[in-house]
Amino acid sequence: MAHLQFKHPRLVTLAVASLAILTVGLAGCSSSNASSSSYKIKNNKVALSTAQIKKNLDTKIITTRQDAQKSLTATYKSAAQNDNYTLSEPYVKINPYKSSPLSALVIFKTSDAVKVTYTVVGKTDKTSITNTVNGGYTKTHQVPVVGLYADYSNQVKITATTKDGKTTTQTLTMKTSALPKYIKDATITTKNVKKSKMDIGKNKLTIVNRTTKQPFAIDADGAVRWYDTNYSQHTIEQWTSGHIMILSKKNVNSDVYNDLIETDYLGRVYEEYGFANKTSSTDGGVETTVIHHDLVELPNHNLLATVSDGSKYKEDTLIEVSHKTGKIVKVIDMKKILPKSMWDKYKKGSDGKVDWLHNNAVDYDKNDNSIVLSNRNQDLTLKLDYKTNHIKWLYSGKKKSSWPKAYRKYVLTPTKGTITTGGQHGLYLLNNGGKNSANSEDFILYDNNINVTNGDKSTSGKYSQAVKYHVNTKNMTIKSTWSYGKTLGKANFTSVIGYAEQQSNGNVLIDFGFKAGGQQSNIIEVTKSGEQVFNATMKNAAAKAYAYRAYRVPFYTSSYVFDATK
């Protein structure tokens, strides 16, 4: 999360002496090892070696939660092998892994091979959750049910369909417990809801990914339909397997969020990565976080995360972690890539750390093996070649002439009317890896519109907005192609946090996460024309429990499979 106070100095112009060093540093980016080996500053103890950063973070695979769940999985495996459980009298376990109270596991066998579909019946129109269990036509069935209401006798319809189309339906009643305090107190109200225009399909919910406490998901009515009892901070991402990655901590009394859990919506843990506490960072208060603020799944299924390196500088490093070993296989230290003037004279924060960059988003470009980053405290977005760490383009309100000469050819020129961002969050690519996207450079982000170092002074603090951009790499220009939020004015201005996500139908879901100084979080879905079709406000959240991001995701994906026998 970003600092709540903004007392950062303006960037100073590079001295001639350091310019020569920077030129060498950029030139050395042409090979994968050169950028870290050629950027040397005499007696500079700030730029840590890759080996030291790896040691400071000390990533490893741990099995604490998996070991604790072994007996539960054994129970469900035994049930799956039991011939006595049938569709009319199945095995049912609500909250099967003790961390997801609005989910259930249903197990039974059928005499014929069937495909199974279930529906959690909604209270109103278009709030039912329907999923077809992956795995085709089988005789043994493990049905992961998600989307139950809290403190309610849920009606769950399970339909078995044979290959020739014969169907049998059984309706189960599942009584759930009340919501816990941290979620119940965060009251949700909705308005301007037009369900027929929302991108919700048969199983999509909106995850409210909070900065602290328990995350949850709501339906089109604003009703909670899923939550996780693990305390989480900043990070929830859905992986290609349909699993989710949650940054958590070992127990609720711990100060540091340094466990990354690969889990599912039932609460089963498949992998767990531990990080050393010494690289954690905070923005006020006691609780700290190691991954700060984002991570993404790479094509090889390794994870790429934004972290601190353990020096006096924080939130300016990225690491790739092997999903097989839990070890760091690549380090990107942005101090070795961007001009020294950006970080060398930047003032320390109240925690004694220098938060000169504040990486708050990363996305991987499948088209050209690159990554895009959002650097909040420089009001900067940029793209790097992932193999070489070489800069592909840079965009900020910092004039091209103010950059060292070695960088200027990478600075994008904005077309007339293009929006200059300030303190932006949540940048991610559009058309990523799709048809005809090889030459497409389109992305969306949440523009807080706060002038931290290079933002727009004339509009700073007046509104926040979601913005789409197109980059023309041939002409090295950038153009804003769509935006929403300016008409909402100062009421929806958020100095920190926030997110914008384009939906499959073209709508955009926007999280004004720090509205009214953090007293509210406002999540709005708008059409291309700017029509609101969903507007949810969260109030009375626990301390630091505002919505960092809001995601609209399927519960669950077509790639997700639950199998207690494996």
Side-chain angles (χ1 to χ4, degrees), residues 65-66 68-77 79 91-107 118 142-148 174-177 225-230 263-270 556 560 562-564:
R65 289 175 172 83
Q66 289 167 285
Q69 291 183 350
K70 282 182 178 180
S71 62
L72 294 172
T73 300
T75 297
Y76 308 139
K77 178 180 179 180
Y91 175 92
V92 179
K93 182 63 176 178
I94 298 173
N95 193 13
Y97 284 95
K98 302 184 183 299
S99 63
S100 183
L102 302 185
S103 66
L105 179 61
V106 179
I107 297 174
Y118 77 84
Q142 301 175 61
V143 184
V145 175
V146 297
L148 302 174
M174 299 186 186
K175 181 68 174 71
T176 53
S177 57
R225 306 291 293 274
W226 172 84
Y227 67 94
D228 194 299
T229 58
N230 288 299
T263 183
D264 61 18
Y265 295 117
L266 296 190
R268 182 178 181 180
V269 175
Y270 297 88
Y556 34 77
Y560 170 65
F562 177 89
D563 190 348

Side-chain angles (χ1 to χ4, degrees), residues 73-357:
T73 300
T75 297
Y76 308 139
K77 178 180 179 180
S78 178
Q81 296 170 339
N82 191 329
D83 294 333
N84 294 325
Y85 295 118
T86 64
L87 179 56
S88 58
E89 295 185 8
Y91 175 92
V92 179
K93 182 63 176 178
I94 298 173
N95 193 13
Y97 284 95
K98 302 184 183 299
S99 63
S100 183
L102 302 185
S103 66
L105 179 61
V106 179
I107 297 174
F108 59 92
K109 288 189 176 183
T110 53
S111 55
D112 297 322
V114 297
K115 180 184 292 184
V116 173
T117 298
Y118 77 84
T119 296
V120 178
V121 179
K123 292 182 179 181
T124 65
D125 183 44
K126 297 187 183 298
T127 56
S128 294
I129 301 295
T130 298
N131 276 304
T132 297
V133 180
N134 298 314
Y137 295 89
T138 61
K139 295 182 178 181
T140 299
H141 311 282
Q142 301 175 61
V143 184
V145 175
V146 297
L148 302 174
Y149 290 94
D151 197 17
Y152 186 69
S153 293
N154 293 268
Q155 299 300 296
V156 180
K157 295 181 179 180
I158 298 182
T159 300
T161 305
T162 63
K163 290 181 179 179
D164 59 8
K166 181 181 178 181
T167 62
T168 304
T169 299
Q170 175 72 16
T171 300
L172 306 176
T173 300
M174 299 186 186
K175 181 68 174 71
T176 53
S177 57
L179 294 172
K181 173 180 172 55
Y182 289 125
I183 296 175
K184 184 178 181 180
D185 288 352
T187 56
I188 302 287
T189 57
T190 60
K191 65 179 182 179
N192 301 336
V193 177
K194 300 177 180 69
K195 295 177 184 177
S196 62
K197 295 184 178 182
M198 293 177 64
D199 184 25
I200 48 179
K202 294 182 177 180
N203 66 355
K204 290 185 179 181
L205 298 173
T206 302
I207 290 181
V208 180
N209 176 14
R210 300 198 286 179
T211 50
T212 62
K213 314 307 181 197
Q214 294 129 333
F216 60 90
I218 57 175
D219 63 15
D221 291 338
V224 175
R225 306 291 293 274
W226 172 84
Y227 67 94
D228 194 299
T229 58
N230 288 299
Y231 278 22
S232 174
Q233 190 169 111
H234 287 111
T235 300
I236 295 180
E237 295 288 341
Q238 193 171 77
W239 247 222
T240 53
S241 60
H243 296 169
I244 51 175
M245 307 295 286
I246 298 180
L247 182 64
S248 188
K249 52 185 178 181
K250 290 182 173 59
N251 62 71
V252 296
N253 296 316
S254 173
D255 290 336
V256 181
Y257 291 84
N258 66 332
D259 285 357
L260 182 64
I261 310 167
E262 181 182 348
T263 183
D264 61 18
Y265 295 117
L266 296 190
R268 182 178 181 180
V269 175
Y270 297 88
E271 200 70 271
E272 188 174 1
Y273 303 87
F275 298 78
N277 293 354
K278 67 176 67 176
T279 56
S280 60
S281 60
T282 184
D283 297 307
V286 176
E287 291 182 318
T288 62
T289 176
V290 174
I291 297 177
H292 197 105
H293 301 64
D294 204 6
L295 79 159
V296 67
E297 182 181 19
L298 296 173
N300 61 5
H301 304 300
N302 287 354
L303 62 96
L304 179 65
T306 58
V307 298
S308 299
D309 63 10
S311 70
K312 71 177 183 179
Y313 296 90
K314 71 176 186 178
E315 298 170 34
D316 61 1
T317 304
L318 297 100
I319 56 169
E320 179 184 342
V321 178
S322 168
H323 73 287
K324 295 179 179 179
T325 67
K327 297 300 183 183
I328 297 172
V329 296
K330 181 179 176 69
V331 173
I332 301 176
D333 182 352
M334 296 302 293
K335 292 187 294 296
K336 300 176 182 178
I337 296 173
L338 291 172
K340 183 182 178 184
S341 60
M342 284 184 169
W343 50 268
D344 189 43
K345 301 298 183 182
Y346 211 89
K347 290 183 179 179
K348 292 181 180 180
S350 59
D351 61 356
K353 297 282 188 176
V354 180
D355 191 11
W356 68 280
L357 191 67

Side-chain angles (χ1 to χ4, degrees), residues 1-10 283 293 315 346-350 355-358 360 375-379 422-425 446 448-455 460-461 464 493-498 514 517-518 546:
M1 197 191 77
H3 279 305
L4 305 188
Q5 296 181 347
F6 305 96
K7 298 179 180 178
H8 306 308
R10 282 279 160 187
D283 297 307
H293 301 64
E315 298 170 34
Y346 211 89
K347 290 183 179 179
K348 292 181 180 180
S350 59
D355 191 11
W356 68 280
L357 191 67
H358 203 97
N360 59 34
N375 304 149
R376 179 193 183 278
N377 285 354
Q378 296 296 332
D379 306 317
Q424 74 290 328
H425 281 74
Y446 180 79
N448 294 79
N449 193 26
I450 179 79
N451 175 33
V452 184
T453 51
N454 297 294
S460 179
S464 297
F493 168 71
T494 60
S495 58
V496 294
I497 70 177
F514 201 74
Y546 20 77

Side-chain angles (χ1 to χ4, degrees), residues 33-85:
N33 296 321
S35 73
S36 60
S37 62
S38 63
Y39 188 79
K40 298 289 187 182
I41 299 175
K42 188 176 181 180
N43 299 322
N44 181 15
K45 296 181 180 180
V46 172
L48 302 180
S49 67
T50 295
Q52 185 62 53
I53 293 173
K54 289 181 178 180
K55 183 178 180 180
N56 288 348
L57 283 152
D58 191 27
T59 62
K60 63 186 70 174
I61 289 177
I62 56 180
T63 60
T64 307
R65 289 175 172 83
Q66 289 167 285
D67 291 343
Q69 291 183 350
K70 282 182 178 180
S71 62
L72 294 172
T73 300
T75 297
Y76 308 139
K77 178 180 179 180
S78 178
Q81 296 170 339
N82 191 329
D83 294 333
N84 294 325
Y85 295 118

Side-chain angles (χ1 to χ4, degrees), residues 366-514:
K366 301 172 185 176
N367 302 312
D368 61 0
N369 189 29
S370 296
I371 57 173
V372 289
L373 302 172
S374 167
N375 304 149
R376 179 193 183 278
N377 285 354
Q378 296 296 332
D379 306 317
L380 170 69
T381 57
L382 61 88
K383 190 173 191 181
L384 299 177
D385 183 292
Y386 190 63
K387 181 179 180 181
T388 65
N389 298 346
H390 188 83
I391 295 171
K392 288 204 163 187
W393 53 254
L394 303 156
Y395 179 59
S396 77
K398 183 179 173 69
K399 293 182 179 180
K400 183 179 292 188
S401 59
S402 297
W403 288 87
K405 288 183 179 179
Y407 292 84
R408 292 176 191 171
K409 64 181 179 180
Y410 305 110
V411 177
L412 299 174
T413 299
T415 60
K416 185 178 180 179
T418 292
I419 295 166
T420 300
T421 59
Q424 74 290 328
H425 281 74
L427 179 153
Y428 78 93
L429 291 158
L430 303 171
N431 306 319
N432 193 357
K435 290 184 178 180
N436 302 318
S437 64
N439 298 315
S440 179
E441 294 265 359
D442 296 279
F443 63 91
I444 189 170
L445 53 72
Y446 180 79
D447 176 23
N448 294 79
N449 193 26
I450 179 79
N451 175 33
V452 184
T453 51
N454 297 294
D456 188 337
K457 289 182 180 180
S458 65
T459 64
S460 179
K462 294 181 179 180
Y463 54 85
S464 297
Q465 59 190 341
V467 188
K468 295 181 188 178
Y469 290 94
H470 174 72
V471 175
N472 184 321
T473 53
K474 182 178 180 180
N475 299 329
M476 290 302 284
T477 59
I478 184 168
K479 178 182 180 181
S480 50
T481 58
W482 181 91
S483 65
Y484 180 84
K486 185 176 181 179
T487 57
L488 302 179
K490 197 160 186 175
N492 272 60
F493 168 71
T494 60
S495 58
V496 294
I497 70 177
Y499 196 63
E501 178 186 72
Q502 181 166 291
Q503 306 303 302
S504 59
N505 66 355
N507 290 356
V508 175
L509 187 72
I510 311 169
D511 170 38
F512 298 89
F514 201 74

Side-chain angles (χ1 to χ4, degrees), residues 526-546:
V526 296
T527 64
K528 293 179 182 178
S529 64
E531 179 188 7
Q532 290 192 18
V533 297
F534 178 72
N535 186 316
T537 296
M538 179 178 73
K539 297 181 180 179
N540 305 318
K544 290 188 69 178
Y546 20 77

